[in-house]
Amino acid sequence: MNRRRLLFLSALSGLAAAGTSCSSGWQAPRRPEFTNRLRIPPPAESRRAAGGFREFALDLRAGGRTGFLPGLTTATWGINGSYLGPTVRVARGERVRMAVTNRLDEATTLHWHGVRLPATMDGGPHQMIAPGATWRPEWTIEQPAATTWFHPHPHEKTAMHVYRGLAGLLLIDDPDGPRLPSRYGVDDVPLIVQDKRFDDDGALDEGDVDSGTFGALGDQILINGTHDPYFEVRTELVRFRLLNASNARVYRIGFTDGRPCQVVATDGGLLERPVAVDRVKLSPGERAEIVVRFTAGEQAMLDSRGENIKQANDIEEEDFQLLRLVAAAELTGSAPVPAALGGAPAVPPPAGARIRRFELSGSEINGQDMEMTRIDEVVPAGANEIWEIDNTTYAHNFHIHEVSFRILDINGAAPPAYQQGPKDTVFIPKKAKARLSVRFGTYTDPVTPYMYHCHILRHEDKGMMGQFVVVKPGTEHQVPRTLAHRHD
Ligand code: C2O
Ligand code: CU
Ligand code: CU
């Protein structure tokens, strides 16, 4: 055993001892000691295919068993493995092709959340994959570096498919990007945050997934599918890519000791410059990249603090410890975070930008449930519009496929600086109104819609979703608003 490993282990046992004050027969209620090494999703393998494509194979599988809790295994679903998926990594400008094979015994889809691509490649509810079938979307990566992700999106069934374990990261790199920590799993560390409930035998408790106002709100946290995890820090700076892949829970993530986190990116990519904060709030589907400084030999705890938010939010917010950081006795030096990150500045929407209004009430949008055959909005390609989301009832969020947007204001006030970067999902507190400046892409398809919806998966499944098509400017009025019903 090498010296560093030995020091590390003695740090662990020191901590365990500190937490145990008496050694009589009485067992104190179990307190997590965070002794499970953080799993790092493996990088997805790819192969070069004809036509300059890079091809990834993603198999959606049921019937896995994963060890989360001591001495127990849990039936889970996964992508190329028993739980969650590998990390797909692609570069701006690359042509990618996915071979998504559905090995479940029910139909599903795989959606690329945060990715700009043609509607037929989007993996929403119109791109169902039958059991045993392989779906092969392909597109060119034409967007800035970002932390995006993938998950199933079958109409009315997304919550259960994600809860059982189908989700993964798709990281977009930009060769011309700024110098940030980028050694995957070393100083560039994904943190997929999920809450679960377990039965006594270790099975996932699915009781609330499809019931109640918000659906599943767990009392146990998994990070990358690791319960009570620790991560061994080996560099002065670590970049964490945070993804809230929970069904409903909202987190406010930071460090117990209040150390600053430099936010460098939001959902859609880099900020113009780093913003130091002590907490980042993430609702389901949102991402943030933070860079954090450590000193040799120390320990720290990443946690989530509920706000006393009953007035602002109906989702019960609780305190959780998320991840213990154990810094090695010697840390490798890191280059400082550049003062300018190269993220595009927010451009104010043009005067006279079209405004569309969406009223959220209960789990409906503009008084309606999602209807697969109804096109709700027709958007001209390349438009920069203002979308006003007016929430008349309890907490929601709002995600738009294909685009990135900027939050103009929430209840008339500018969002905190760290939320001023490119976004695709925004938290909408109870009775709040948000205005978004949305820039649409240029892939047109009058008969294949993209989705906008609440990303609280229970709400999405209940129909809190609408459909928009992007069409050639000037053809908006020729577009059919009703799609032929598809029998999948
Ligand atoms: Cu992450 Cu339409 O979803
Ligand atoms: Cu999406
Ligand atoms: Cu909602």
Side-chain angles (χ1 to χ4, degrees):
M1 190 179 305
N2 67 35
R3 180 172 160 274
R4 206 191 58 204
R5 177 96 190 118
L6 195 66
L7 283 168
F8 170 67
L9 285 173
S10 61
L12 271 186
S13 58
L15 190 104
T20 318
S21 51
C22 103
S23 54
S24 71
W26 182 76
Q27 287 279 292
R30 180 180 163 280
R31 291 221 333 253
E33 284 161 0
F34 293 87
T35 50
N36 299 315
R37 179 183 288 273
L38 178 73
R39 292 175 181 150
I40 302 293
E45 285 166 20
S46 63
R47 65 177 193 93
R48 295 255 153 231
F53 283 95
R54 197 135 77 86
E55 189 174 291
F56 294 86
L58 297 174
D59 284 15
L60 313 185
R61 300 177 186 161
R65 294 208 71 89
T66 308
F68 297 120
L69 306 176
L72 297 170
T73 62
T74 303
T76 50
W77 290 7
I79 303 174
N80 297 2
S82 75
Y83 188 76
L84 297 177
T87 296
V88 173
R89 201 149 193 163
V90 296
R92 190 173 191 173
E94 251 190 313
R95 306 175 79 186
V96 301
R97 179 185 289 153
M98 305 290 180
V100 183
T101 301
N102 178 4
R103 300 192 192 282
L104 313 175
D105 56 16
E106 58 186 282
T108 192
T109 79
L110 200 64
H111 164 59
W112 321 102
H113 177 136
V115 180
R116 170 151 280 177
L117 37 53
T120 52
M121 309 296 167
D122 190 43
H126 291 276
Q127 287 87 42
M128 291 295 274
I129 315 169
T134 298
W135 175 58
R136 297 177 196 280
E138 57 183 49
W139 72 93
T140 302
I141 304 294
E142 287 170 339
Q143 65 188 90
T147 299
T148 73
W149 66 300
F150 48 88
H151 61 79
H153 214 302
H155 189 39
E156 299 172 331
K157 297 204 167 65
T158 295
M160 193 64 84
H161 289 201
V162 173
Y163 188 76
R164 289 179 175 167
L166 300 183
L169 285 166
L170 192 163
L171 307 184
I172 297 173
D173 295 315
D174 188 337
D176 302 324
R179 187 157 167 222
L180 289 169
S182 58
R183 276 166 295 167
Y184 183 74
V186 178
D187 63 3
D188 181 355
V189 179
L191 300 178
I192 303 172
V193 183
Q194 298 178 299
D195 60 334
K196 304 287 171 193
R197 247 170 233 284
F198 293 96
D199 295 339
D200 290 345
D201 63 356
L204 280 177
D205 179 342
E206 298 177 345
D208 289 337
V209 173
D210 292 325
S211 68
T213 305
F214 291 103
L217 282 165
D219 57 357
Q220 302 296 316
I221 304 292
L222 302 179
I223 310 284
N224 303 341
T226 325
H227 188 243
D228 290 350
Y230 75 84
F231 177 75
E232 186 185 2
V233 170
R234 283 174 276 166
T235 54
E236 291 172 348
L237 295 181
V238 180
R239 171 196 198 173
F240 295 105
R241 299 178 186 252
L242 301 166
L243 160 65
N244 181 348
S246 305
N247 284 43
R249 192 173 285 289
V250 176
Y251 303 92
R252 286 200 317 126
I253 297 177
F255 284 83
T256 304
D257 61 12
R259 75 183 58 202
C261 306
Q262 295 192 73
V263 183
V264 295
T266 44
D267 305 335
L270 294 163
L271 296 169
E272 283 183 84
R273 58 190 75 83
V275 176
V277 298
D278 55 6
R279 302 242 155 224
V280 296
K281 180 166 179 157
L282 295 177
S283 67
E286 288 186 282
R287 290 88 67 207
E289 297 179 26
I290 58 174
V291 178
V292 182
R293 179 170 293 278
F294 295 93
T295 54
E298 70 162 343
Q299 298 214 12
M301 182 62 77
L302 187 76
D303 66 13
S304 176
R305 294 276 174 85
E307 285 174 299
N308 181 11
I309 204 173
K310 291 277 190 246
Q311 310 87 326
N313 173 4
D314 309 277
I315 298 179
E316 114 198 54
E317 283 202 16
E318 295 171 59
D319 295 347
F320 289 101
Q321 294 184 316
L322 304 180
L323 173 70
R324 186 156 63 96
L325 291 309
V326 181
E330 283 163 38
L331 299 180
T332 306
S334 305
V337 174
L341 297 167
V347 179
R354 165 142 191 196
I355 299 172
R356 295 184 203 248
R357 296 195 169 84
F358 301 87
E359 186 183 282
L360 313 183
S361 56
S363 58
E364 292 181 334
I365 301 178
N366 291 338
Q368 290 185 302
D369 282 340
M370 158 83 173
E371 175 51 66
M372 290 281 285
T373 57
R374 185 185 69 232
I375 300 299
D376 298 284
E377 305 293 334
V378 178
V379 176
N384 185 345
E385 301 189 344
I386 295 172
W387 282 28
E388 277 186 19
I389 321 299
D390 189 357
N391 182 5
T392 65
T393 53
Y394 46 80
H396 294 292
N397 74 6
F398 200 83
H399 167 52
I400 312 177
H401 287 205
E402 194 275 339
V403 305
S404 80
F405 56 72
R406 304 292 175 131
I407 306 169
L408 291 172
D409 46 58
I410 298 182
N411 288 335
Y418 81 89
Q419 290 177 5
Q420 292 183 16
K423 297 282 294 167
D424 57 52
T425 307
V426 57
F427 183 63
I428 318 274
K430 162 183 178 177
K431 303 235 163 95
K433 186 184 211 167
R435 293 194 318 133
L436 315 175
S437 170
V438 190
R439 194 177 282 269
F440 291 86
T442 53
Y443 293 113
T444 59
D445 186 337
V447 296
T448 312
Y450 298 101
M451 306 293 132
Y452 54 85
H453 58 93
C454 177
H455 217 289
I456 293 173
L457 300 181
R458 168 83 179 130
H459 297 175
E460 177 183 336
D461 283 352
K462 277 172 83 178
M464 197 166 199
M465 177 151 65
Q467 311 197 95
F468 69 99
V469 288
V470 176
V471 303
K472 196 163 164 276
T475 66
E476 292 91 314
H477 298 290
Q478 301 151 25
V479 169
R481 304 295 291 246
T482 306
L483 298 173
H485 189 71
R486 303 189 194 191
H487 299 272
D488 284 306

